[in-house]
């Protein structure tokens, strides 16, 4: 079951191919690497030659932005009633993954239709796209956990931009597994858990994260803080070589085993390419959602 983020107005993937993508972020056109775009581009399409900025990879790792026109250091884009700061970083990213809007829509729909108080935990929460979506949808509390202090600060800026200061959002800089274990000791539970684990990472005190070694133990640990009346459990992944069926199997052997009244959906997540009828694949997702008819 594939999901496509097709409701954007301030963002579009104009074209993709030759290992790159051409995007519009409100009024700014960026050209960035995308190793999954293995098909050719139309050599007669001049749009590729006139972005505002073009990120070039280095053979030695990393890369740099070539600015063809002056652009702001940061600017704001809108999705539904949410607003986010966008800023090109030295490692090609912009602080937002627009394909995640498909997951945001799912989360917002679930919370709005629940008609009860919902507490949400967002792990590896980055700059807070899912955090803001859940808060805007009416979650009673959203706990935002990320090991990178700078990303948590960026998420706080997004909260202000989205006018969500009056919502209960807790921002935590911590190693996610350590935080989950502490929440278990405190006896706290969540109706919805979201995680977007990296392939490899480090916690604030140097803790090593390897998705192939630690994803299942983390999901298993989360079973102890998932409420007895859960609403959803969502895993997103960008790890190369991980098929969606891996996430489906993990959810089957953890969440579904403990909470059989639910269904599991898994697949690719992607962006429509406006210059063609193709979709740019952008990772995978797996989710368990409460379903009394299951």
């Amino acid at each position: 079951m594939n999901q496509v983020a097709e409701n954007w107005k301030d963002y579009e993937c104009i074209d993709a191919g030759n290992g790159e993508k051409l995007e519009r972020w409100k009024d700014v056109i960026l050209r960035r690497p995308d190793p999954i775009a293995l098909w050719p581009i139309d050599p007669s399409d001049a749009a590729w030659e006139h972005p505002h900025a073009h990120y070039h990879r280095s053979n030695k790792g990393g890369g740099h932005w070539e600015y063809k026109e002056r652009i702001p250091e940061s600017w704001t884009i809108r999705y539904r009633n949410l607003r986010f700061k966008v800023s090109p970083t030295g490692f090609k990213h912009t602080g937002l993954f627009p394909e995640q809007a498909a997951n945001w829509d799912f989360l917002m729909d679930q919370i709005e239709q629940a008609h009860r108080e919902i507490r949400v935990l967002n792990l590896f929460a980055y700059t807070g796209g899912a955090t803001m979506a859940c808060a805007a949808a009416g979650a009673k509390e959203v706990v935002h956990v990320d090991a990178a202090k700078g990303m948590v600060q960026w998420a706080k800026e997004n909260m202000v931009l989205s006018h969500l200061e009056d919502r209960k959002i807790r921002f935590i800089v911590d190693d996610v597994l350590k935080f989950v274990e502490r929440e278990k000791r405190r006896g706290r539970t969540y109706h919805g858990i979201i995680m977007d684990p990296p392939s490899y990472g480090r916690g604030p005190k140097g803790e090593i994260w390897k998705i192939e070694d630690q994803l299942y133990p983390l999901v298993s640990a989360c079973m102890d803080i998932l409420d007895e009346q859960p609403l959803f459990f969502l895993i997103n992944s960008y790890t190369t070589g991980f098929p969606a069926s891996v996430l489906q199997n993990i959810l089957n052997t953890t969440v579904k085993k403990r909470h059989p009244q639910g269904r599991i959906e898994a697949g690719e997540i992607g962006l429509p390419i406006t210059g063609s009828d193709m979709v740019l694949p952008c990772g995978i997702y797996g989710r368990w959602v409460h379903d009394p008819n299951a």
Side-chain angles (χ1 to χ4, degrees):
M1 183 178 181
N2 296 339
Q3 300 289 312
V4 179
E6 54 191 2
N7 296 321
W8 278 100
K9 293 182 173 61
D10 278 3
Y11 170 87
E12 66 174 313
C13 181
I14 300 168
D15 201 0
N18 285 5
E20 293 186 294
K21 57 189 171 187
L22 188 67
E23 308 163 288
R24 177 181 63 83
W25 298 82
K26 200 169 184 180
D27 301 320
V28 178
I29 308 299
L30 300 180
R31 180 174 173 176
R32 298 192 290 159
D34 196 311
I36 205 70
L38 298 176
W39 51 92
I41 62 172
D42 181 352
S44 66
D45 188 350
W48 285 92
E49 301 305 317
H50 303 287
H52 291 90
H54 184 185
Y55 189 89
H56 299 276
R57 283 196 183 279
S58 168
N59 293 332
K60 299 177 181 179
H64 71 279
W65 286 98
E66 174 193 5
Y67 292 96
K68 297 175 180 290
E69 294 186 36
R70 187 178 181 87
I71 64 173
E73 182 178 327
S74 65
W75 63 99
T76 302
I77 69 170
R78 178 176 179 176
Y79 184 78
R80 293 173 62 171
N81 58 337
L82 305 173
R83 289 173 175 80
F84 302 105
K85 183 184 87 168
V86 170
S87 180
T89 68
F91 45 95
K92 90 170 181 175
H93 295 303
T94 62
L96 196 68
F97 290 88
E99 64 275 5
Q100 287 301 313
N103 281 329
W104 305 340
D105 287 343
F106 162 78
L107 297 168
M108 294 174 86
D109 288 346
Q110 291 298 314
I111 293 169
E112 289 169 353
Q113 295 168 17
H115 303 299
R116 58 187 173 102
E117 292 185 346
I118 300 298
R119 295 183 302 276
V120 178
L121 175 62
N122 187 9
L123 302 173
F124 308 100
Y126 195 51
T127 60
T131 296
M132 304 314 148
C134 292
K140 179 185 179 183
E141 179 185 24
V142 185
V143 178
H144 175 112
V145 184
D146 198 280
K149 187 175 181 180
M151 294 301 102
V152 172
Q153 180 57 42
W154 197 326
K156 292 179 180 178
E157 293 179 56
N158 286 333
M159 175 186 68
V160 173
L161 288 171
S162 293
H163 305 295
L164 295 170
E165 302 97 317
D166 62 333
R167 308 300 169 93
K168 188 175 182 181
I169 304 173
R170 294 172 57 212
F171 294 98
I172 310 290
V173 179
D174 203 351
D175 174 78
V176 295
L177 183 56
K178 288 181 178 179
F179 179 80
V180 168
E181 290 170 344
R182 282 203 307 276
E183 290 293 84
K184 177 186 175 181
R185 292 194 295 269
R186 295 175 182 129
R188 285 176 52 84
T189 63
Y190 297 89
H191 304 96
I193 297 178
I194 307 160
M195 61 176 69
D196 193 350
S199 303
Y200 178 86
R202 288 185 179 270
K205 295 182 180 179
E207 301 91 342
I208 300 295
W209 166 270
K210 283 186 172 181
I211 192 169
E212 65 270 26
D213 296 334
Q214 291 168 282
L215 178 58
Y216 184 84
L218 175 61
V219 176
S220 297
C222 285
M223 293 304 94
D224 293 324
I225 62 169
L226 187 63
D227 195 85
E228 286 304 309
Q229 295 183 311
L231 184 61
F232 58 76
F233 198 113
L234 171 64
I235 308 172
N236 191 83
S237 175
Y238 293 99
T239 299
T240 303
F242 257 45
S245 54
V246 169
L247 303 184
Q248 183 173 0
N249 292 343
I250 288 174
L251 291 169
N252 260 314
T253 55
T254 53
V255 189
K256 179 77 170 177
K257 186 176 181 179
R258 187 170 294 191
H259 300 282
Q261 280 201 312
R263 67 181 186 275
I264 293 175
E265 301 165 352
E268 288 185 351
I269 192 166
L271 289 164
I273 302 173
T274 56
S276 69
D277 59 355
M278 296 189 295
V279 171
L280 177 65
C282 301
I284 58 172
Y285 76 96
R287 64 196 186 203
W288 175 97
V289 56
H290 173 69
D291 183 352
N293 299 315

